[in-house]
Amino acid sequence: MDIFTQQLINGLVLGSIYALVALGYTMVYGILELINFAHGEVTMFGAMICLAVIGAITATGTDANGLLIVALGLSAAISVCTVLGFLIERVAYRPLRRAPRLAALITAIGMSIVLQNAAMLIWGKQYITFPPLLPLVRYDIGGAVITNLQIFIILLSCLLMAGLLVLIRKTRLGRAMRATAQAQDIAGLMGINVNTIISVTFVIGAALAAVAGVMVSAYYGLAHYFMGFMLGLKAFTAAVLGGIGNIAGAMLGGLLLGLIESFGAGYIGTLTGGFLGSHYQDVFAFFVLILVLVIRPSGLLGERVVERA
Amino acid sequence: MNGPPLTKWTVWLFVLTLALTACSKKEETTTGTTGGEMTVKIGQVSPLTGPQAHLGKDNDNGARLAIDENNASGVTLGGKKVKFMLVSEDDIADPRTATVVAQKLVDQRVAGVIGHLNSGTSIPASKIYFDAGIPQISPSATAIAYTAQGYKTAFRVMTNDRQQGKVLGEYAVKKMKAKRVAIIDDRTAYGQGLADEVDKAVKASGGEVIAREFTTDRSTDFLAILTSIKGKKPDLVFYGGMDAQGAPMVKQLQSLGLKAKFLGGDGVQTAEFLKLAGSNSEGVTASSPGLPIDSMPGGKEFRKKFTDRFGTIQTYAPYAYDAVNVMVEAMKKADSAEPSRYLAELPRVQRAGVTGNISFDGKGDIRGGAITLYQVKGGKWEVLETVMGGGATAMEKN
């Protein structure tokens, strides 16, 4: 039972990170029907910026509180990533908004490659370590172990997701976003500045991605210019699983995917008698993606597929 | 990659040019004589440019030192005084380039080859040397496949991954007192090969392999497999793979509160591992083929000779030095530098080299080669002990 609890915890942490990144995919898709493949790279930039700032601060030999240094790194990551998210939309997607969908998709992939290589040029090809600034406390729950960092990741993700739901369902800005998602032209006629709303969507997505990036690098203790690629694909899968374009769906999809991966990798060896091994961990995500696309293309909480098809 | 037909053409053209050059210089053959003196060419191949250039130059210097010493002391073969000449080539650590320079050396009629540095280059080049009947002694290739191809011209003076895996498995059970061992590998040729050998050795030593889990050489999340392993209560976790996965794995192992010891191979025994794992690396044990230089029988003397002339030793220079001397020893025994004549003597050579006693088994692997175990203490790799390949005798240090 303790193993089950432990895999549950592993899955929840992984799932919260996927969910945060998946929100960025789903928000952009909801409004523009565009898959922003550069979103994974924004996450990577978040991690890299945070580590660069942390590195610069610790290099001064200050004995400031570790938490404070990480908080500074995180805020720097969020600021840079929001600007990056804004610029990506402005430079790469806005000029192509009326172009065929394929053109936008190709630009998205191109943007992803550009960002990846830019990061490689800036920070090099080697792994960058997250310095041990955060005091690690372990709690024992019936044989399973949960660390303060894991609790923090789950709580912060939930908080951010709840905040986002409130923003979209209860505020003027949220109403404008929903209106733009339903019918861009009509929303424009109603006095909504569509360009601003789209920019805001990208900025919010990028900020969430930055937080997720910092979480990943702190959790695994590593960052690398290539880390955004796989994370982006997994989060995209999570968004599709939950129903792309649906905010609550992305959260559900992210959590589910994290759990599927964790339990899958943990139990597949025993269940198949060693025929399939735990190196299939990454395969689960894409197996789920294929299943969803075949059985229920609209995803678990998907909507509006009929009118869009 | 970029237009196979063109590349093929270029290579052929290159080989053709080399062949022509070789023909025009036919007078400079292996047994070329000038006056009462005979010139014997010995090839050396390693990456002399690119990211591994520092290691390649190190091998070159080691071989050069041995060549010069043999020339100074004077070797006589078949009644003639011999002058050895080192022909160094650059394979840029690339398998394709390795075959091109191998052919170049064959065409220049070298008597033997010291190299290559990497397993990935030594293996494809070994076929070319075998076809030409030229003995090849690699100072540093460790992949099992290198001597497993049935080429009687391929030798090495460094312990291979099979021997390393055997030592690691035995060490885990006998010295680290692990009864329940979990093995993880990254499914690469190196990681899987090493893990399979560790698996066998653990079972042979009376230990139990309670879990075999796998990951990839790009993963960062090992919590799921570590949790599954934790449920089986291991005493020790072995990882066959590189430092970039080993480091986060150690960290996650500790965050799960898994009390098992962590053991790795030479992919983990790196400076990069210490950097990536930070304070989590404390207590990690890992192995590396060969002896630490100061424990080598002739290590201190070699270090002095080498540093006086070339500066700091990187890694494999003593092995390149020994490889040359073993080759010369076989030539002396055969009283000839003809590859076909002295090749027969190579398997019978017994030599007390700088790195240890050198003799080859039937495959061309070094007999009883050394594996050194290191442990992280105070953020540094400290030598625990050196185990000779058979695992029978151990030289304690510290």
Side-chain angles (χ1 to χ4, degrees), chain B residues 4 14 30 42 54 62 70 104 134 152-153 159 174-175 189 195 227 234 255 273 276 284 330 380-381:
Chain B
F14 189 45
T30 315
I42 293 182
H54 59 298
N70 277 303
K104 188 175 166 188
I134 293 176
K152 63 180 178 12
T153 46
T159 332
K174 290 180 181 158
K175 290 287 173 69
T227 301
S255 78
F273 176 83
L276 293 178
V284 167
K380 277 211 248 357
W381 288 109

Side-chain angles (χ1 to χ4, degrees), chain B residues 99-116:
Chain B
T99 57
V100 175
V101 295
Q103 190 59 50
K104 188 175 166 188
L105 287 176
V106 168
D107 294 338
Q108 287 188 57
R109 306 198 165 206
V110 294
V113 174
I114 306 302
H116 301 193

Side-chain angles (χ1 to χ4, degrees), chain B residues 14-15 18-19 22 28-30 41-46 85-91 97-116 125 128-129 132 134-136 339:
Chain B
F14 189 45
V15 172
L18 291 177
E28 284 182 47
T29 50
T30 315
K41 290 184 190 172
I42 293 182
Q44 191 285 131
V45 192
S46 55
M85 194 175 123
L86 189 70
V87 185
S88 244
E89 290 292 343
D90 178 12
D91 68 7
T97 313
T99 57
V100 175
V101 295
Q103 190 59 50
K104 188 175 166 188
L105 287 176
V106 168
D107 294 338
Q108 287 188 57
R109 306 198 165 206
V110 294
V113 174
I114 306 302
H116 301 193
I128 292 170
Y129 301 130
I134 293 176
Q136 171 193 15

Side-chain angles (χ1 to χ4, degrees), chain B residues 68-287:
Chain B
D68 290 353
E69 282 179 15
N70 277 303
N71 282 337
S73 64
V75 176
T76 315
L77 296 179
K80 281 189 185 127
K81 199 167 180 317
V82 171
K83 184 176 179 292
F84 291 103
M85 194 175 123
L86 189 70
V87 185
S88 244
E89 290 292 343
D90 178 12
D91 68 7
I92 59 173
D94 170 53
R96 272 200 301 179
T97 313
T99 57
V100 175
V101 295
Q103 190 59 50
K104 188 175 166 188
L105 287 176
V106 168
D107 294 338
Q108 287 188 57
R109 306 198 165 206
V110 294
V113 174
I114 306 302
H116 301 193
L117 187 143
N118 308 84
S119 296
T121 51
S122 300
I123 295 168
S126 60
K127 182 177 189 318
I128 292 170
Y129 301 130
F130 173 70
D131 289 344
I134 293 176
Q136 171 193 15
I137 306 179
S138 172
S140 47
T142 63
I144 296 165
Y146 170 57
T147 52
Q149 306 170 98
Y151 297 155
K152 63 180 178 12
T153 46
F155 298 86
R156 64 174 135 214
V157 290
M158 178 166 282
T159 332
N160 70 21
D161 289 340
R162 173 171 295 137
Q163 291 159 308
Q164 185 175 196
K166 185 163 181 277
V167 167
L168 279 166
E170 285 175 357
Y171 192 83
V173 176
K174 290 180 181 158
K175 290 287 173 69
M176 296 172 85
K177 306 284 175 216
K179 300 224 160 39
R180 302 169 64 79
V181 178
I183 296 175
I184 307 173
D185 77 67
D186 65 0
R187 299 275 98 181
T188 61
Y190 160 73
Q192 187 176 348
L194 191 60
D196 286 346
E197 295 303 324
V198 170
D199 190 317
K200 277 188 228 162
V202 164
K203 286 173 185 157
S205 314
E208 196 188 342
V209 176
I210 51 157
R212 225 15 239 277
E213 294 287 348
F214 314 100
T215 182
T216 72
D217 57 352
R218 291 178 308 278
S219 302
T220 45
D221 186 327
F222 313 102
L223 285 163
I225 56 175
L226 289 173
T227 301
S228 156
I229 285 174
K230 190 188 173 196
K232 294 170 183 163
K233 306 204 173 11
D235 305 323
L236 184 138
V237 176
F238 172 80
Y239 178 59
M242 305 308 289
D243 44 14
Q245 279 66 45
M249 193 180 285
V250 167
K251 206 176 157 180
Q252 290 165 30
L253 194 96
Q254 291 174 9
S255 78
L256 280 176
L258 188 53
K259 293 280 185 290
K261 290 170 188 146
F262 190 85
L263 181 67
D266 55 331
V268 168
Q269 203 271 315
T270 65
E272 185 75 2
F273 176 83
L274 298 177
K275 199 189 104 196
L276 293 178
S279 62
N280 297 95
S281 65
E282 207 62 23
V284 167
T285 311
S287 65

Side-chain angles (χ1 to χ4, degrees), chain A residues 108-132:
Chain A
I109 294 172
M111 201 64 220
S112 159
I113 296 172
V114 166
L115 288 176
Q116 222 175 73
N117 285 283
M120 188 185 81
L121 289 174
I122 301 172
W123 292 289
K125 288 179 187 169
Q126 72 277 35
Y127 285 81
I128 300 172
T129 41
F130 197 96

Side-chain angles (χ1 to χ4, degrees), chain A residues 3 7 10 138 219-220 278, chain B residues 213-214 221 223-224 227 254:
Chain A
I3 296 305
Q7 296 289 24
N10 296 342
R138 281 197 287 267
Y219 188 39
Y220 297 120
S278 42
Chain B
E213 294 287 348
F214 314 100
D221 186 327
L223 285 163
T227 301
Q254 291 174 9

